[in-house]
Amino acid sequence: METNLKLVDVVVEMLDARIPRASSNPMLIKMIGNKPKVIALNKTDMADKEKTALWLENLKAKSFAVVQVDCAKGKGVKQLIGAIQKAAEPVTAKWLKRGVHNRPIRVMIVGVPNVGKSTLINRLVGRRTAMTQDKPGVTRGPQWITIAKGLELLDTPGVLWPKFEDQEVGLFLALTGAIREEIFDKSIVTELLIKKLQKEYPQVLSSKYGADIEQEDAINTVYEKIAKARGCLKAGGIADVDKVVNMVLRDFKSGKLGAFTLDKPPDKK
Ligand code: G4P
């Protein structure tokens, strides 16, 4: 990826709107140096709208060009192209000063696994993908696809391997599919999710599972209440915690539980 980064003029870093902090890679800034960067906040359909607005405000205040997108539905993709073109203006101005005309701006999309990079590339490229298919016997170098006038996209995204020292960041990445869930014990991942939901979205678990869950309930009480309400019981009426854990995780990942943002937007300064 670092080799490909050298070939581009603008970098699009895709973040998961549910975890804008955990899905950003602090190493990227070192890799791209002064190159303009545009942030694409994806999966906004699965995130809390109010918190997405706060994250957008916060990132803009830090002088980042940022656009919210929902690549599954194709929302915000046109605005993203506009933001890339705007971010590239200083680069083209420099070229013009040196007498370089008609050189296309080259752009690449980077982000952690499963954030939606390929989905975005397909949206940007559309039917033009067919032209880039491999020909037998031809070694395939980077492929550039024109996505707008004077704008070329690298057809392969850059995968940023998640790096984290903070365990919460790792657990958020596991919850959203950026790292394999098996890296952590499922019950630890679920416990964090439940605690976050109890704190930030206190009504959700009660209304979703028809259980009377209080904000201050301990994790075992929450499991027991959900197990009872949903009939996840073992012989003797004991709560089947594994079953509850799997159900909660599945419901969160599929979006059935609702749209949430796990990373708290930073306070306004
Ligand atoms: P990657 O290249 O960054 O690894 O991610 P990719 O595009 O493969 O997307 C990972 C998953 O996220 C895919 O679902 C994709 O459909 C989904 N996705 C991408 N953008 C959005 C979005 O804005 N909203 C929602 N809700 N989902 C999005 P999948 O289940 O792995 O595959 P599939 O069911 O789409 O085939």
Side-chain angles (χ1 to χ4, degrees):
M1 186 186 83
E2 289 193 53
T3 318
N4 285 338
L5 272 177
K6 291 198 181 95
L7 308 173
V8 302
D9 309 299
V10 178
V11 178
V12 173
E13 184 183 20
M14 185 171 247
L15 302 181
D16 187 321
R18 296 169 295 175
I19 51 164
R21 177 183 68 112
S23 60
S24 75
N25 189 312
M27 303 293 288
L28 182 66
I29 203 80
K30 287 192 191 116
M31 288 189 249
I32 65 174
N34 291 330
K35 281 185 206 231
K37 178 175 98 168
V38 177
I39 295 174
L41 207 53
N42 191 36
K43 302 202 181 183
T44 44
D45 57 317
M46 299 184 94
D48 178 331
K49 285 194 171 54
E50 275 174 33
K51 288 190 179 152
T52 297
L54 290 173
W55 268 110
L56 282 169
E57 215 176 280
N58 184 271
L59 291 165
K60 278 180 190 160
K62 287 186 181 143
S63 319
F64 287 123
V66 48
V67 178
Q68 56 171 319
V69 289
D70 167 357
C71 292
K73 297 196 193 72
K75 282 188 193 161
V77 174
K78 265 194 196 144
Q79 287 87 330
L80 179 63
I81 292 182
I84 298 169
Q85 284 166 326
K86 190 150 189 283
E89 278 168 10
V91 180
T92 35
K94 225 197 271 169
W95 290 346
L96 279 176
K97 259 193 193 164
R98 285 198 264 133
V100 180
H101 297 268
N102 296 328
R103 176 168 160 185
I105 286 290
R106 293 189 150 178
V107 56
M108 148 177 205
I109 294 156
V110 304
V112 295
N114 208 43
V115 70
K117 301 178 295 298
S118 310
T119 313
L120 173 61
I121 291 177
N122 287 337
R123 286 274 171 202
L124 289 168
V125 168
R127 278 194 219 120
R128 278 161 287 200
T129 9
M131 293 176 346
T132 69
Q133 270 165 11
D134 288 323
K135 288 193 187 103
V138 178
T139 316
R140 193 174 180 278
Q143 302 284 311
W144 299 97
I145 306 156
T146 303
I147 54 166
K149 195 167 177 280
L151 196 61
E152 291 186 356
L153 174 74
L154 185 67
D155 70 341
T156 349
V159 182
L160 289 171
W161 294 107
K163 247 186 135 100
F164 52 90
E165 279 149 21
D166 181 346
Q167 200 201 23
E168 187 180 87
V169 170
L171 293 170
F172 283 177
L173 291 167
L175 268 170
T176 54
I179 57 175
R180 280 188 304 119
E181 205 177 67
E182 303 85 71
I183 290 181
F184 295 102
D185 191 306
K186 266 188 190 176
S187 59
I188 299 177
V189 181
T190 313
E191 187 175 336
L192 177 74
L193 173 65
I194 287 178
K195 277 189 186 152
K196 281 273 160 194
L197 294 178
Q198 274 178 295
K199 189 161 174 243
E200 306 285 338
Y201 305 92
Q203 304 306 322
V204 163
L205 291 168
S206 295
S207 62
K208 172 70 195 167
Y209 296 117
D212 191 16
I213 294 163
E214 308 282 345
Q215 221 169 339
E216 49 289 327
D217 278 347
I219 189 71
N220 285 334
T221 311
V222 175
Y223 285 151
E224 274 164 27
K225 284 184 175 177
I226 297 177
K228 224 185 229 167
R230 300 303 293 260
C232 302
L233 300 169
K234 291 200 245 188
I238 299 164
D240 189 338
V241 174
D242 284 345
K243 215 170 178 181
V244 175
V245 162
N246 285 324
M247 179 175 71
V248 173
L249 273 182
R250 207 174 45 237
D251 289 347
F252 172 76
K253 288 187 171 181
S254 66
K256 243 187 181 175
L257 213 50
F260 310 108
T261 300
L262 301 174
D263 266 334
K264 212 170 160 222
D267 290 330
K268 280 184 212 164
K269 293 249 162 70

